[in-house]
Each structure stands twice: as C-alpha cells, then as structure tokens.
Amino acid sequence: MKLCYFNDYRLGVVKGDQVVDITDAVKDIPHLHAADLIIGLIKRWDSYRAKVAKAAEGKGVALSGVRLRAPVPRPGNIDCMAVNYMEDGTLKEKPMINAFHKASNAIIGDGDTMMLPDVPAGVFEGEAELALVIGKRATRVPAADAMTYIFGYTGFIDGSARGLPPPGNVFFQMKSRDSFAPTGPWIVTADEIADPQNLGITLTNNGAVMQKFNTNDMAHQIPRCIEWLSSIHTLEPGDIVATGTNHRGLNPFMDGDKIELTIEKVGTLHFNVKDEHKRTWARITRLQHKDSGKDGPHTPQTAGKYAAK
C-alpha cells in the first residue's frame, strides 16, 4: 500500500494515477494536528489496516490534481547513516558505522522548494537516499529481528551546506537547515518491497542523471543500521532512518534546479532549488571533479555571493 498526505494534510492511499482519501476512516485516532495522524496510524496499523484497505476502495481523484505533502511531516527523529556506501566497490575497507541527527522540521515534500541559505558554504549538495519509516518502538533490536520494525520506505534527500567555517558545531550547521530534508513522495508499506537491499536509486538534476547506484552497495545493511541506531537511542513509530548515499555522483545544487529522486518500487520525489544569491558552480559530479585532477572534494564556486575574487 502507498500512503500519502495531500492538500490540507488529508491522508490518502495512492492507486495508480489516483489518490483515495481515507482520512475519515482513521480520524478517531488521537492526534493534535492533521500532520500527526500518520504517526498514530503507524502505531495502530495492525488494527486499522483492514479499515484503511476498505476505505481505499472508494472513489479517487487524479494525483496530478493534488498537492502532495511529506508523508511523515513531523517525525520524532531523523537518523542519517553517514558514509554508508562502498562507492561502487571502490572503497578498500568498510567504513566504521556512523550516523547523525537531522532536525525534523527540515522536512519538505514533493513539489516543494529547497532554499539555499545566506551562508558562505563551499557548495550545496543533496544526497539521494532510501529512507526507512519505523513501525514500532525499537530499543536494542538484534539485527535478526530488525526488518520487522520497518513500517515502510520512502525517498529522502540529505541536503548539505558543505565547507562552512567555525564557530560552533559546523556539522549541525551543514545538515539541519530549513528545507534540507525533502521526503516522499509517499510511504510504500514494507510488505510491498521484498528486498530493499536491491533497489536502484537515480537522481537527476534538470533532467541529467547525476547519481545512479543500488542499495546493494551499502557498507552496513539495513538490519545492522537498525541494530546499531537502536542501541544508542530508542526509535519510535514514524521515525525516519536515511540509509546513506553513494557520494561519487554528488553535484552542486543551484538556483532554478529541478531535482527528481527515483527509487525502484518506491516512486519519484520532485523538488526545486532556490538561491536568492544566484551562486554558481561547474555542473559536474564529485567523481568528475576528482577525475579532472583538480584540488578539493568538489568543484569551487564560480560566481555569486561569497565567490572568491
């Protein structure tokens, strides 16, 4: 089943090119705001699933005529796995397992806009990632049981303002900016994806393919990620775990860019990029920059505010 939020935070089930409003079937679930209803539904999925399936038999409306929202607009936690791909098998050793928190109100949804802030970043990037939506409370979960704690899957972009100068926690400043967590377009429930460890991921920027990789290249696979994260803090229903990216295709995000993230069996997330300061970089990937023999991890800024003079 594909669950989404649309328009004024109505809950829907996506069926082909239609969405069926199922809000009334679950409105008795306690919630403070419409944007929180999905978390209540996830917590009670076993008892509400049949009711949702019945409601989804109703008449739908065209997906093209609605505004999709982030499928989990207000998760309690966003945990992002760091350096969790073998980079197409080019890394000689498996990286140590690592992760970081991202502010939950950085989330935006399908069709929304990532706003590049007025800070002297070396480059702005967005990392294409498969995200897990946690289905039940998870504390010190063994890897053997970890997959049973997944409610579903969605697309996720880990936005970054790289190269910020001190003071302060530079990593926090880099990752937790407003709008730096595009998510969606919906949640595909876990039963729909037999093998999440073999999904193609493609990111295009203005129609050009920049990232293209498979989840089978993860350094630490999904069960191990859940095991490790839940040994540090309890994961709650509706929490998001972003599973990492292949960095070789990372590329500068600039004003006017139209980004599409497509994950096999999940769907396509669309969003735009806006930069009031019109900063520019060469339109190349990290791998292309490295192969050019130039210094630094990414191409330098070429124009706009903060460009070197």
Side-chain angles (χ1 to χ4, degrees):
M1 198 177 297
K2 295 182 176 70
L3 294 167
C4 73
Y5 267 119
F6 68 99
N7 293 347
D8 191 20
Y9 291 96
R10 302 291 293 181
L11 267 177
V13 172
V14 177
K15 304 180 78 172
D17 60 358
Q18 302 272 306
V19 58
V20 181
D21 192 330
I22 56 96
T23 310
D24 289 344
V26 299
K27 65 182 180 181
D28 60 324
I29 293 175
H31 60 284
L32 295 177
H33 185 278
D36 301 322
L37 182 56
I38 185 65
I39 294 178
L41 177 59
I42 290 170
K43 289 179 179 178
R44 299 162 178 81
W45 184 242
D46 288 346
S47 57
Y48 274 82
R49 180 171 185 161
K51 187 181 291 189
V52 169
K54 178 70 174 176
E57 296 174 0
K59 185 177 180 180
V61 297
L63 262 176
S64 60
V66 305
R67 178 186 177 185
L68 288 173
R69 304 283 190 158
V72 187
R74 306 203 299 194
N77 293 285
I78 301 176
D79 288 349
C80 299
M81 302 306 299
V83 194
N84 194 37
Y85 272 79
M86 297 303 292
E87 310 292 327
D88 299 321
T90 62
L91 296 188
K92 294 180 181 180
E93 296 181 356
K94 182 184 292 189
M96 290 183 63
I97 193 165
N98 197 9
F100 57 91
H101 255 127
K102 199 175 184 83
S104 61
N105 59 356
I107 283 183
I108 59 174
D110 189 80
D112 289 341
T113 299
M114 177 185 284
M115 302 294 296
L116 304 187
D118 183 5
V119 293
V123 71
F124 296 97
E125 296 174 329
E127 305 177 15
E129 308 196 16
L130 173 70
L132 323 173
V133 179
I134 298 299
K136 56 185 178 180
R137 203 162 202 261
T139 304
R140 295 183 293 277
V141 173
D145 299 333
M147 298 303 286
T148 66
Y149 286 80
I150 299 173
F151 176 75
Y153 303 91
T154 191
F156 186 86
I157 295 287
D158 174 22
S160 299
R162 297 192 185 276
L164 290 171
N169 183 335
V170 175
F171 202 82
F172 171 74
Q173 297 180 54
M174 174 174 69
K175 293 292 190 179
S176 281
R177 299 277 169 178
D178 287 343
S179 76
F180 270 30
T183 309
W186 40 66
I187 302 169
V188 178
T189 53
D191 59 304
E192 296 286 329
I193 298 179
D195 185 7
Q197 215 63 76
N198 186 25
L199 299 176
I201 298 179
T202 303
L203 181 137
T204 64
N205 190 329
N206 297 324
V209 174
M210 308 302 273
Q211 286 189 272
K212 192 176 181 65
F213 59 98
N214 193 288
T215 58
N216 61 18
D217 193 42
M218 282 186 198
H220 302 280
Q221 295 198 338
I222 291 168
R224 173 58 180 148
C225 292
I226 294 174
E227 178 183 59
W228 187 74
L229 290 170
S230 69
S231 74
I232 297 168
H233 76 87
T234 296
L235 299 170
E236 299 285 357
D239 282 357
I240 290 173
V241 175
T243 56
T245 198
N246 182 320
H247 294 77
R248 285 151 61 92
L250 295 188
N251 62 103
F253 280 11
M254 293 177 268
D255 185 63
D257 284 352
K258 296 185 181 302
I259 311 296
E260 292 189 1
L261 164 63
T262 300
I263 301 180
E264 184 182 0
K265 301 184 187 302
V266 175
T268 299
L269 169 67
H270 315 76
F271 65 96
N272 307 304
V273 179
K274 175 71 175 175
D275 179 15
E276 294 179 351
H277 301 288
K278 313 298 181 185
R279 290 161 286 189
T280 59
W281 290 261
R283 182 71 73 187
I284 59 175
T285 64
R286 281 200 191 186
L287 179 58
Q288 290 168 331
H289 175 72
K290 179 181 178 181
D291 288 347
S292 72
K294 295 179 181 177
D295 294 335
H298 51 73
T299 182
Q301 185 178 342
T302 53
K305 191 173 184 179
Y306 304 114
K309 297 181 180 178

